[in-house]
Amino acid sequence: MRGELVAIDLETTGLDVNTDRIIEIGAVRMKEGEVLDEFSELVNPDMHIPERTTLLTGIRTADVADAPRLPEVLPKLLQFVGDLPIVGHSVGFDMSFLNKQGVFTTNTVLDTYDLASVMVPRAPRYNLNSLAVNMGVDLEDAHRALDDARASGIIYWLLYEKTLQLPVTTLRAIVDASQGIEWYARPTFESALTEVLEKAGDTPDDDDDIIEVPSKIAHLRPLYPNDEITPLEVDAVGAVFQRDGELAQEMETFEYRPQQENMARRIAEAFNSGEHLMVEAGTGTGKSMAYLVPAFEWASANNERVVISTDTIALQDQLITKDIPALQESLGIHVNAAVLKGRANYLCPIAVEAMKRRGPTNIEELRVLAKILVWQLESDSGDKTEISLRGGAEHSIWNRLSASENQGCRGNACRDELGFDCPFHQAYKRAEAAHLLIVNHSLLVADAKAENRVLPEYQYIIVDEAHHLEEAVTSSMRFVIDEAAMMRRLDDLGDSRRGLLADLITALRKSDVPEKTTKRIEAFATDVNAAANDMRVHVTGLFKAVKKLARSLTSIKQGDYTVTVRIDEQAREKSAFQKLQQQWEILAQFMEVISEATGELSSVLGKFNEYDIDNYNDLLRSTQTVARYLEDTRTTLHTLVTAPDPNTIYWISVTPDMKRIGLNTAPLHVGPVVTENLWNSKRSAILTSATLRTSGTFDHIRERVHADMVSTYEVGSPFDYKSSTMVFLPTDMPEPRESQTYQQMVEQAILELAVALDGRVMVLFTSYGQLRQTSRIITPVLANQGITVYDQSDGTSRQNLLEGFKTTDKAVLLGTRSFWEGVDVPGESLSALIMARLPFPVPNDPVFAARSDTYENHFNQYAVPEAILRFRQGFGRLIRTKTDRGIVVILDSRITTRSYGASFIDSLPDCTIESAPLNQLAKAARAWLNP
């Protein structure tokens, strides 16, 4: 928006507009990115400034003691701002404090957060500091009002200039979609549209006709295996890894590792004999190369597809962007490689067009739609990983705009209706032509149970990160029902004025469908809408009953993360569950009627393909999707409430504010699924990981995935842990249950070690609660020593935390579950690893509790092996290369005082172990790291 505006930022004592006060006001009058005038005042809030606020802003209570109070400052601010538009970052927060004082209630308000989340759709973070760095804006003193206001104003102008580069069609679509929804970014897009149209004159580039885009996949042909299998020469496969082999000659960084050669040989043998195999490959083996070479050779010799499944995106990226290209060059073998993800990872352009046509129903849908419309201009991948989505609501909306909503679509619809190949269709065609196909664990199972298979045919598979296979299968077979999702589906259904039903009726009226038939469907749609409106009341009633049941089963405190409550036999005996059953009996009648009606409607509509109906394919798919969702939900609720399946786990998930509550189901055993889709259906399946064994055997994972008849093979690590790694076991640590003393000693250990080593410490926790408590104590103390604490509890992404930790000279990283594995910090950036507790599963986790019940001695037979696997993963974060050296500190005394503790120690490689009082830790660490 051109012309003058005022950028505003406030610093406050806290986040609650009702109890907190303003302590600083910064305002900058600007015009087209140039500063015209500035306003800055400290404000006496007549209250103590909390320590956390002082740490963030640098403003102390003493600094504002002689400052004017807010009533004295506001008149000057009013004069400075006048009736000019106000811009700020997450400006709703600032305006809530100002509007409470009765000021600026009529000014136009603009938000750089809302605008940036649309115009910079790939940004990893949208806080002011990150945006300033991303856009090259100098933010000298973050979290001081004047500097933040100035940065907001400059960023606003840069973003507005970007909006002027958008096509008219995109600008108009965003403006049209925002009508009727209060959104602080709308005035900016309206202004940009007006300006672009004025410049374009009477002939703007606004042609909505289909433009045929040349296909990028027309040249791809499906892969067909040779009629006869050509076995691999095992010695030749092994020779690739020898000191004078092809990898040594072509790769500068190659190191000879006999473990890597042996693993590659064993996999080649398994492929030759059609054998299933589990391989544990210690850290540093180079297992990805060890399985890629035989996979390359097999695919090339037999024109056969080999699927490689991973648990993490990071490993997928490593394989496709680094390892496979390096092998292509080193071996001189060209094989096609592709990545295929689940349908939910690919945008469905037709679903986006449908939302544009029907209009978003709330602010969250509007933000996601606008972001996608801009993102589509710069990306044709349609891959979810390339767009920044914030929070559960945005991910949920993405799912409804993804290819997962159109299970029966193979991609032809987009070319027919929009003139180009959809992202999923492109990915699938590349997968069909691939010798090496990279997927994830969840897709393996989701594909197997889908009506229309996503993965092309394959007989050979390598499952890396296989210790996660059971968890991934469980997750992919989980079904979640929540009130918001059910209401959203009813909103999508709509009525005669909006939504799917309105679209359908409008299209039929304009079509050549006989009028009598159209009127019959109109009457039918009216009945469906009436039933849906009644159903809303009973959906609310059902979830009120679910909330009461959750409260009767557990205490839910503010500040907790999502709480899970298992619905077992004891829960079903509660009076609150009887009330839930009564509510379901009422709701079930409405769901049955609507489910059958939408099913019948989709069936009738399916016979109308001979008529000329606008958006026919989209209307048919949308109707089928709603019908399928309602039927699946009705069936699941029936079994959960009325006829529980003994092989299914049921539970409630609820946030502390009770605003998000869900009913969940998952399989009790995944072994039968793995047997059906791997052991019984594939010629050779290889499972590999750095951690597959517990107590020296593969027995635990064999039992979990029904792999009794699968061969096993173990190759140790090439690292010399005896020389590189000290494991320090404090002799005077109390047990974790002695919470106060234990917690104080945890904090002492971190502080002393971090100071002794100038940071370079990673601490692994098993709960967010302990992490938050620890961070609150150690952060200000270490700050005085020039050591920065990066902690996972503030919501920062794992990748950003890792980057901050790696690039900061003196830093400590505090992480929970996601940091126990998949984190790679080689070199001196990480010299010490602390485990606050042994990583036992949470006892009341519904899935863990239900599976525990299937064991006679669930603790030793299930809990301990699961904890050992995670313990070994955590240990593996420290030593990542042959030259690394470090210390692992275990602050859980149970590792030495309980009988099962020896199993944890025995699971580690042969390290140097030192037992001493905690006050000797810093000295021992310095001595070990500086021999």
Side-chain angles (χ1 to χ4, degrees):
M1 171 178 295
R2 295 192 182 278
E4 286 190 37
L5 54 78
V6 176
I8 281 182
D9 187 79
L10 307 180
E11 302 301 337
T12 62
T13 57
L15 304 178
D16 191 331
V17 68
N18 295 313
T19 58
D20 287 304
R21 309 278 182 83
I22 297 171
I23 57 175
E24 187 177 35
I25 300 174
V28 182
R29 189 181 298 128
M30 308 186 76
K31 184 175 182 179
E32 299 179 10
E34 297 295 327
V35 175
L36 303 179
D37 198 1
E38 294 182 342
F39 175 94
S40 179
E41 285 276 6
L42 287 172
V43 180
N44 187 337
D46 285 324
M47 64 181 290
H48 176 74
I49 296 177
E51 182 181 353
R52 187 173 183 84
T53 301
T54 298
L55 285 171
L56 190 66
T57 65
I59 302 173
R60 301 167 300 170
T61 303
D63 296 331
V64 296
D66 297 326
R69 287 165 175 78
L70 190 59
E72 301 173 59
V73 176
L74 282 179
K76 292 186 284 185
L77 181 65
L78 279 165
Q79 185 177 2
F80 184 84
V81 176
D83 60 359
L84 293 175
I86 293 174
V87 64
H89 196 73
S90 296
V91 72
F93 173 82
D94 305 271
M95 296 308 296
S96 67
F97 277 85
L98 294 171
N99 291 164
K100 185 182 177 185
Q101 304 301 318
V103 297
F104 308 127
T105 56
T106 59
N107 294 65
T108 298
V109 179
L110 312 167
D111 192 343
T112 50
Y113 180 95
D114 268 347
L115 191 56
S117 69
V118 173
M119 295 307 303
V120 196
R122 298 172 186 258
R125 301 180 70 190
Y126 292 110
N127 63 50
L128 187 62
N129 190 53
S130 295
L131 281 176
V133 171
N134 190 23
M135 303 182 75
V137 175
D138 185 18
L139 181 54
E140 294 181 4
D141 199 354
H143 299 298
R144 288 306 298 263
L146 185 61
D147 286 280
D148 284 358
R150 190 185 301 115
S152 297
I154 296 171
I155 287 172
Y156 177 80
W157 176 248
L158 294 175
L159 290 171
Y160 181 70
E161 287 188 311
K162 284 175 71 73
T163 66
L164 297 176
Q165 306 305 312
L166 295 177
V168 169
T169 49
T170 303
L171 283 170
R172 179 169 286 135
I174 293 174
V175 170
D176 288 348
S178 67
Q179 298 307 309
I181 299 176
E182 185 177 349
W183 187 38
Y184 290 139
R186 186 174 68 211
T188 302
F189 287 107
E190 289 176 333
S191 177
L193 177 60
T194 300
E195 187 169 338
V196 169
L197 286 174
E198 287 175 352
K199 288 181 180 178
D202 295 329
T203 57
D205 180 18
D206 197 13
D207 187 356
D208 288 329
D209 291 338
I210 292 177
I211 301 174
E212 187 76 15
V213 178
S215 175
K216 298 181 178 181
I217 55 177
H219 67 288
L220 297 175
R221 297 292 178 268
L223 189 70
Y224 294 106
N226 297 342
D227 293 334
E228 294 186 7
I229 288 176
T230 302
L232 297 180
E233 294 183 18
V234 175
D235 288 343
V237 170
V240 171
F241 296 92
Q242 292 175 359
R243 287 187 173 88
D244 58 351
E246 291 163 279
L247 296 185
Q249 295 175 30
E250 299 294 333
M251 290 184 179
E252 292 182 5
T253 58
F254 176 79
E255 296 177 1
Y256 173 66
R257 288 162 282 190
Q259 297 86 351
Q260 188 178 47
E261 178 184 346
N262 292 338
M263 179 177 173
R265 286 174 172 270
R266 188 66 186 86
I267 292 174
E269 292 171 353
F271 277 1
N272 283 346
S273 60
E275 178 187 10
H276 298 319
L277 176 68
M278 287 196 286
V279 182
E280 181 179 278
T283 303
T285 298
K287 62 179 166 53
S288 61
M289 286 294 184
Y291 62 66
L292 280 174
V293 168
F296 258 66
E297 301 279 6
W298 185 267
S300 176
N302 295 289
N303 208 38
E304 181 92 46
R305 180 175 298 107
V306 178
V307 169
I308 299 172
S309 180
T310 76
D311 186 64
T312 61
I313 293 174
L315 181 53
Q316 285 189 346
D317 290 343
Q318 175 190 316
L319 293 173
I320 202 72
T321 63
K322 179 183 175 184
D323 294 346
I324 290 175
L327 278 182
Q328 298 262 28
E329 186 174 346
S330 298
L331 301 182
I333 299 175
H334 177 74
V335 296
N336 291 329
V339 174
L340 184 63
K341 303 175 183 178
R343 286 178 174 270
N345 290 280
Y346 299 101
L347 187 70
C348 174
I350 288 181
V352 174
E353 290 299 311
M355 182 175 281
K356 282 169 57 180
R357 189 170 61 251
R358 295 169 192 156
T361 60
N362 54 52
I363 185 71
E364 287 82 10
E365 286 187 358
L366 171 58
R367 286 170 174 154
V368 174
L369 176 61
K371 178 182 293 192
I372 286 173
L373 292 176
V374 172
W375 176 62
Q376 283 181 298
L377 299 173
E378 59 188 59
S379 169
D380 61 359
S381 74
D383 189 330
K384 183 180 180 181
T385 60
E386 296 183 12
I387 188 170
S388 180
L389 299 171
R390 318 298 292 175
E394 291 198 357
H395 284 278
S396 177
I397 293 162
W398 167 277
N399 287 340
R400 292 163 53 219
L401 296 175
S402 74
S404 64
E405 291 290 275
N406 292 327
Q407 293 288 339
C409 177
R410 281 294 185 186
N412 297 328
C414 283
R415 178 148 291 279
D416 293 343
E417 298 177 30
L418 303 177
F420 57 85
D421 299 305
C422 80
F424 172 73
H425 188 53
Q426 291 185 49
Y428 180 76
K429 287 299 181 183
R430 292 190 181 100
E432 279 192 316
H435 293 87
L436 296 185
L437 179 59
I438 315 298
V439 304
N440 62 38
H441 300 346
S442 296
L443 179 56
L444 288 178
V445 182
D447 176 66
K449 67 179 185 176
E451 293 179 13
N452 294 289
R453 304 294 289 265
V454 173
L455 296 181
E457 180 59 33
Y458 66 98
Q459 286 297 317
Y460 297 85
I461 178 170
I462 297 167
V463 180
D464 200 349
E465 301 176 313
H467 60 286
H468 273 306
L469 183 59
E470 181 184 24
E471 183 182 0
V473 174
T474 302
S475 177
S476 67
M477 297 184 71
R478 179 181 170 189
F479 195 89
V480 184
I481 303 168
D482 65 71
E483 183 177 6
M486 292 184 72
M487 292 298 195
R488 208 159 40 233
R489 291 293 181 174
L490 295 176
D491 286 341
D492 289 344
L493 199 57
D495 53 31
S496 60
R497 299 181 305 280
R498 60 182 179 81
L500 175 59
L501 293 177
D503 264 13
L504 177 59
I505 292 169
T506 300
L508 290 177
R509 286 173 179 168
K510 292 164 57 179
S511 73
D512 56 349
V513 173
E515 184 179 356
K516 182 179 178 181
T517 303
T518 298
K519 287 186 175 179
R520 190 167 67 248
I521 292 178
E522 284 185 28
F524 187 73
T526 301
D527 291 341
V528 169
N529 175 244
N533 285 335
D534 290 338
M535 178 177 155
R536 290 172 183 275
V537 176
H538 301 299
V539 169
T540 299
L542 178 78
F543 280 93
K544 282 183 179 178
V546 174
K547 289 177 184 179
K548 289 180 180 178
L549 176 60
R551 287 195 181 102
S552 74
L553 294 172
T554 189
S555 60
I556 300 171
K557 302 180 294 233
Q558 289 294 327
D560 286 341
Y561 284 78
T562 299
V563 176
T564 55
V565 188
R566 185 181 169 197
I567 304 176
D568 55 14
E569 290 303 316
Q570 289 182 327
R572 293 176 188 277
E573 294 174 1
K574 293 272 188 180
S575 60
F577 189 80
Q578 315 309 317
K579 295 286 180 62
L580 173 60
Q581 285 181 314
Q582 293 169 14
Q583 287 293 335
W584 167 241
E585 288 174 5
I586 300 170
L587 176 60
Q589 299 174 44
F590 288 91
M591 286 202 73
E592 185 172 4
V593 169
I594 296 176
S595 179
E596 290 179 357
T598 52
E600 185 178 342
L601 185 59
S602 67
S603 178
V604 170
L605 193 57
K607 300 173 183 176
F608 284 6
N609 58 333
E610 62 193 72
Y611 296 110
D612 183 17
I613 303 174
D614 289 347
N615 305 306
Y616 171 74
N617 289 326
D618 174 53
L619 291 170
L620 177 59
R621 283 190 297 271
S622 298
T623 308
Q624 291 171 337
T625 297
V626 172
R628 184 171 56 247
Y629 171 82
L630 289 171
E631 180 56 25
D632 289 347
T633 302
R634 185 183 71 84
T635 302
T636 302
L637 283 172
H638 172 72
T639 57
L640 187 153
V641 179
T642 307
D645 178 354
N647 292 313
T648 301
I649 306 164
Y650 303 98
W651 74 96
I652 301 168
S653 55
V654 57
T655 54
D657 57 9
M658 285 287 185
K659 289 183 178 179
R660 293 188 65 85
I661 188 163
L663 291 166
N664 305 259
T665 74
L668 180 61
H669 301 288
V670 305
V673 177
V674 178
T675 297
E676 179 184 354
N677 295 290
L678 282 186
W679 314 136
N680 289 351
S681 64
K682 305 305 171 191
R683 289 197 190 115
S684 182
I686 313 294
L687 271 60
T688 186
S689 168
T691 55
L692 290 177
R693 297 180 305 145
T694 60
S695 301
T697 76
F698 291 84
D699 291 351
H700 178 65
I701 192 165
R702 273 181 154 174
E703 187 269 334
R704 296 310 307 165
V705 297
H706 286 196
D708 292 341
M709 304 302 293
V710 175
S711 302
T712 61
Y713 187 65
E714 184 262 331
V715 292
S717 171
F719 295 161
D720 180 3
Y721 283 97
K722 194 73 174 178
S723 300
S724 68
T725 311
M726 173 196 285
V727 176
F728 187 90
L729 305 176
T731 56
D732 53 352
M733 281 294 294
E735 288 201 357
R737 64 184 178 184
E738 299 174 35
S739 56
Q740 186 171 354
T741 307
Y742 159 77
Q743 178 61 24
Q744 289 171 349
M745 293 186 72
V746 168
E747 293 159 4
Q748 173 193 339
I750 299 171
L751 289 169
E752 291 181 0
L753 190 60
V755 171
L757 303 183
D758 283 335
R760 301 187 294 163
V761 177
M762 180 188 296
V763 190
L764 300 178
F765 294 89
T766 58
S767 78
Y768 279 101
Q770 187 186 15
L771 186 153
R772 284 197 304 266
Q773 182 180 353
T774 304
S775 179
R776 196 162 49 243
I777 298 299
I778 71 169
T779 297
V781 178
L782 291 178
N784 290 333
Q785 299 289 327
I787 299 172
T788 303
V789 174
Y790 292 91
D791 93 73
Q792 197 179 2
S793 67
D794 69 356
T796 302
S797 72
R798 186 173 85 153
Q799 188 59 38
N800 285 331
L801 287 171
L802 276 173
E803 286 304 312
F805 178 67
K806 289 178 181 179
T807 56
T808 303
D809 288 338
K810 299 180 179 182
V812 171
L813 178 60
L814 311 182
T816 56
R817 180 180 175 86
S818 63
F819 280 87
W820 283 79
E821 59 182 281
V823 173
D824 195 0
V825 188
E828 293 187 357
S829 294
L830 177 61
S831 295
L833 179 79
I834 296 177
M835 297 186 196
R837 295 192 188 205
L838 297 177
F840 283 105
V842 179
N844 59 358
D845 174 79
V847 174
F848 172 76
R851 290 174 177 167
S852 294
D853 288 346
T854 65
Y855 290 88
E856 184 176 339
N857 182 345
H858 68 83
F859 182 76
N860 288 318
Q861 292 177 301
Y862 187 43
V864 170
E866 288 288 303
I868 287 175
L869 288 175
R870 185 162 292 279
F871 175 76
R872 294 182 65 201
Q873 282 288 333
F875 174 86
R877 296 315 96 215
L878 182 64
I879 304 299
R880 305 303 298 171
T881 71
K882 279 187 174 181
T883 58
D884 284 354
R885 185 176 179 85
I887 177 171
V888 176
V889 185
I890 303 169
L891 299 179
D892 192 330
S893 61
R894 293 175 296 178
I895 199 166
T896 55
T897 62
R898 300 298 179 90
S899 59
Y900 56 76
S903 298
F904 286 85
I905 295 296
D906 292 344
S907 73
L908 298 178
D910 185 20
C911 306
T912 295
I913 296 179
E914 179 164 336
S915 299
L918 186 63
N919 61 16
Q920 297 297 308
L921 171 59
K923 179 180 177 182
R926 281 193 295 262
W928 180 258
L929 294 170
N930 301 285

